[in-house]
Amino acid sequence: MADTGAMKPVPVTMLSGFLGAGKTTLLRHVLQNSQLKVGCIVNDVASVNIDAKLIRGAAAARDGADGISPGNTTADLADTIELANGCACCSIADELFGSFENLLTLSDKRGIPYDRIILENSGVAEPQNIRDQFNDAIASGHPLMKRIYLDTLVTVVDSHTFIQDYSSKAALAARPDLGEGGNLRPVVDLLVEQIEVADYVVLNKTDMMNAPTMESLQAIVASLNPLAQVVSCAHGQVPVQKLFGSEAQGLVSKLNIEGQHRGAVAAAKSLEQAEAEAAGGHAHKDCKACASEKEGEGHHHHHHHHDHGHDHHHEEAHKHDDCSACKQEHEHGHGHGHAHKHKHSHAEDGHKHDDCAACKHGDHEHHHHHHHHKKERQETTAAKRFGIKSFVYARRRPFHPQRLKDLVLKWMPVSHNKAIDGEAPEKGASPIKSVLRSKGFMWIANSHATAFYWSHAGQHFEIRDEGDWWSAVGEEDWPAEGAQRSVILGDFAGEYGDRRQEIVFIGASMDRAAIEKQLDSALLTDAEMEQYRINYAKTPDPPHPGAPGQQQQ
């Protein structure tokens, strides 16, 4: 690649969504209705890449039929690299990044830089994995990251089939209509990932929906991803400048699962606070959970994926002058890799944060959307109309594994529950059956070192290992930077460090008190906590100088 050190890095937009949702239609609309110079990487697993042909045909039609000036040639508007017979989320990073390098080579030869590169994923591609590849490339100092950066994530959803897909019990392998090459992952699990790993969620095919149903769908999607902007359209006709031009703003693209979790927690608490203020007071007076949060549960840092770097881009166009939360957020808003780099390079998002009060709040990822308060208020109003709310279950005590299964997990409103080992679910009423989506980190008593991730969506529920709590990680594997250490230590409370329950619940007409009571019934009792303390005193955590409340060994 030519020496292009002085060239401005090109923003990359990743376009996700099931086959048939309208990704190619949307991309064709972008190419036909903007003056942007776009490079495309079409990620399609079909042996004949029809999508790429459609894109080229659309650009050619525009060039001839619409009277575009000779300077805006098809090549300028839509250089296209095809990833036929391959999936970007499954490909090795070198193969994916090689496609970007090929596009940049075309741009360099022409001497005309791209305004944007759009990566169109296959229907079953996992956007989180591709985002992780970018984070890993940043952490390893990949030279390509000087030429491109992951700017925004756009997911296209078929509004007409959303409820059907969200309620589906099927695996992707049984639904080739959603994309070839699917595995045994549940359809709803990937659908939720595509929605949650997005800066913009495009609800397409509104022409096939009635207004009340669309309002409900918008409220559901906004609740699933409070960090995203929800855009409704028909035939992929989105506001191009807003999603792909200089107005495009990405946040989720800069995070990983930890940052998303903190964003969901911050959003839930922010909405709860707003509702309490509207009601004229604190909604949880004398609430033990709130009191425990003051001791550290409200600070949303985790430690689990020790395998990703993270680049929270803001450069000249996105200023964070005196933005203390940016400094803090980036130092713990990503996978804290053992012996990995964590760049805080702030690339351009197109808006300023001069002495940003919202950023200083500390929940940076949520409050980066403070410039969209009007939209957020509208979404909050819509959510209230349909009874959709969210709350954070936060405790500093582990679950008893058997009681958790018997009193909580068997009552989950799902048909596919990996966490109950094939046992039959309980029938009958339960407050937790009103939950639409729940996710977060959890502490289980029979696994002192391991942090687990709770994930429920539609008919699917699972608990998975997410690595170790920072408390259990030796000092040699902690980040050396003082600011990062301070953030990690700020997450500690009491003798068990950063171990805790922190699960976000989203649902319609939920009875929060009853759900919390059900979850609390699975926590260790005082007597069990004493035995827990005795058991794990035999294998204490590594010492962490400065950790509040830690018993020094």
Side-chain angles (χ1 to χ4, degrees):
M1 192 179 297
D3 182 9
T4 53
M7 297 185 76
K8 191 176 179 181
V10 180
V12 174
T13 292
M14 181 161 63
L15 190 60
S16 301
F18 287 148
L19 185 66
K23 298 190 302 294
T24 302
T25 302
L26 184 149
L27 184 53
R28 184 166 57 226
H29 171 74
V30 172
L31 298 177
Q32 288 176 325
N33 294 278
S34 80
Q35 299 298 319
L36 296 173
K37 293 180 175 58
V38 177
C40 296
I41 297 177
V42 180
N43 181 11
D44 193 295
V45 297
S47 58
V48 178
N49 199 326
I50 299 173
D51 281 0
K53 294 177 182 177
L54 285 174
I55 294 164
R56 284 197 294 269
R62 168 187 168 157
D63 221 22
D66 294 344
I68 301 302
S69 64
N72 288 332
T73 66
T74 300
D76 289 332
L77 290 167
D79 289 341
T80 303
I81 299 294
E82 300 181 27
L83 285 181
N85 298 312
C87 174
C89 69
C90 303
S91 300
I92 58 173
D94 286 347
E95 180 180 337
L96 174 61
F97 293 149
S99 298
F100 284 102
E101 289 173 348
N102 290 339
L103 275 178
L104 292 171
T105 298
L106 291 175
S107 173
D108 293 343
K109 287 180 178 178
R110 195 175 298 115
I112 302 175
Y114 295 121
D115 295 311
R116 185 168 295 272
I117 295 174
I118 299 176
L119 168 64
E120 183 193 9
N121 286 335
S122 69
V124 296
E126 300 172 351
Q128 185 170 296
N129 283 349
I130 304 172
R131 181 182 61 182
D132 289 347
Q133 289 187 23
F134 275 86
N135 287 339
D136 288 341
I138 292 164
S140 64
H142 195 299
L144 181 63
M145 295 301 103
K146 296 179 180 179
R147 298 292 315 276
I148 63 173
Y149 65 93
L150 185 58
D151 183 46
T152 54
L153 308 174
V154 177
T155 291
V156 184
V157 174
D158 185 336
S159 301
H160 189 60
T161 63
F162 174 84
I163 298 300
Q164 173 189 333
D165 293 336
Y166 195 88
S167 304
S168 173
K169 302 176 183 179
L172 291 168
R175 292 288 305 276
D177 56 306
L178 301 179
E180 294 292 337
N183 53 23
L184 296 179
R185 184 177 184 181
V187 168
V188 63
D189 199 37
L190 180 56
L191 174 62
V192 168
E193 178 181 319
Q194 291 178 342
I195 289 172
E196 293 181 342
V197 185
D199 296 297
Y200 297 91
V201 179
V202 177
L203 299 180
N204 195 25
K205 304 186 183 181
T206 58
D207 54 313
M208 303 175 69
M209 308 288 287
N210 59 48
T213 304
M214 275 307 303
E215 281 191 80
S216 176
L217 180 55
Q218 288 164 350
I220 291 171
V221 170
S223 298
L224 291 174
N225 185 353
L227 304 183
Q229 293 188 60
V230 181
V231 179
S232 300
C233 71
H235 309 293
Q237 295 179 7
V238 296
V240 175
Q241 195 64 20
K242 179 178 179 180
L243 270 67
F244 297 93
S246 59
E247 297 177 21
Q249 296 179 4
L251 172 63
V252 179
S253 60
K254 317 302 189 297
L255 305 176
N256 70 358
I257 192 170
E258 295 181 46
Q260 284 179 230
H261 169 71
R262 283 195 319 282
V265 168
K269 290 185 176 181
S270 176
L271 289 175
E272 182 183 355
Q273 181 180 354
E275 289 176 5
E277 290 174 352
H282 193 290
H284 291 274
K285 187 176 181 181
D286 299 324
C287 173
K288 292 181 180 179
C290 292
S292 66
E293 286 175 7
K294 291 179 182 178
E295 297 174 0
E297 294 191 39
H299 186 74
H300 323 300
H301 160 74
H302 282 279
H303 24 271
H304 322 298
H305 283 294
H306 310 306
D307 55 355
H308 300 138
H310 172 102
D311 186 32
H312 189 166
H313 283 85
H314 305 296
E315 271 171 14
E316 298 93 9
H318 180 157
K319 297 182 180 179
H320 273 57
D321 300 339
D322 193 27
C323 178
S324 58
C326 284
K327 300 173 185 176
Q328 183 187 59
E329 164 67 15
H330 191 82
E331 286 150 359
H332 73 295
H334 49 279
H336 290 280
H338 294 347
H340 280 248
K341 299 178 181 178
H342 308 288
K343 297 179 67 178
H344 184 188
S345 66
H346 286 312
E348 42 190 76
D349 286 306
H351 68 283
K352 297 182 180 180
H353 276 54
D354 300 330
D355 194 18
C356 175
C359 289
K360 290 180 179 179
H361 184 277
D363 288 311
H364 182 69
E365 59 273 76
H366 171 67
H367 291 284
H368 257 340
H369 283 249
H370 65 284
H371 48 288
H372 301 301
H373 280 332
K374 182 176 181 181
K375 179 188 76 72
E376 289 172 352
R377 283 195 297 271
Q378 291 170 344
E379 289 171 352
T380 301
T381 301
K384 286 181 179 178
R385 283 187 57 194
F386 298 100
I388 300 171
K389 293 187 178 181
S390 61
F391 71 88
V392 182
Y393 177 77
R395 299 291 188 269
R396 288 277 180 173
R397 183 170 290 212
F399 285 124
H400 185 289
Q402 190 60 46
R403 283 204 301 275
L404 178 67
K405 179 189 290 187
D406 293 339
L407 301 178
V408 179
L409 302 185
K410 285 186 177 181
W411 296 91
M412 294 298 295
V414 299
S415 60
H416 185 71
N417 192 336
K418 291 184 177 181
I420 59 175
D421 303 322
E423 297 182 27
E426 295 288 353
K427 297 181 180 179
S430 170
I432 208 163
K433 290 188 176 182
S434 62
V435 175
L436 174 73
R437 168 74 165 138
S438 53
K439 55 186 177 179
F441 295 105
M442 57 187 299
W443 176 17
I444 304 178
N446 61 353
S447 189
H448 187 60
T450 304
F452 291 92
Y453 193 79
W454 163 304
S455 180
H456 157 234
Q459 294 293 315
H460 178 71
F461 178 82
E462 67 175 340
I463 294 172
R464 60 179 183 264
D465 180 339
E466 284 294 331
D468 292 340
W469 301 104
W470 274 117
S471 305
V473 175
E475 282 287 304
E476 67 276 8
D477 288 322
W478 276 44
E481 294 85 350
Q484 290 187 12
R485 287 187 55 84
S486 295
V487 169
I488 293 171
L489 292 174
D491 238 2
F492 281 51
E495 62 186 292
Y496 297 112
D498 59 334
R499 296 174 177 86
R500 63 187 174 279
Q501 318 295 350
E502 191 171 66
I503 306 170
V504 177
F505 287 86
I506 303 167
S509 305
M510 293 184 298
D511 185 338
R512 173 176 178 170
I515 292 172
E516 289 186 331
K517 182 178 180 181
Q518 185 173 3
L519 291 163
D520 286 346
S521 69
L523 296 173
L524 294 192
T525 64
D526 290 345
E528 289 167 341
M529 278 302 299
E530 185 57 36
Q531 186 60 49
Y532 182 91
R533 181 177 291 105
I534 293 170
N535 291 344
Y536 287 100
K538 302 170 186 176
T539 54
D541 288 335
H544 299 298
Q550 186 182 49
Q551 296 179 350
Q552 300 301 321
Q553 305 297 324

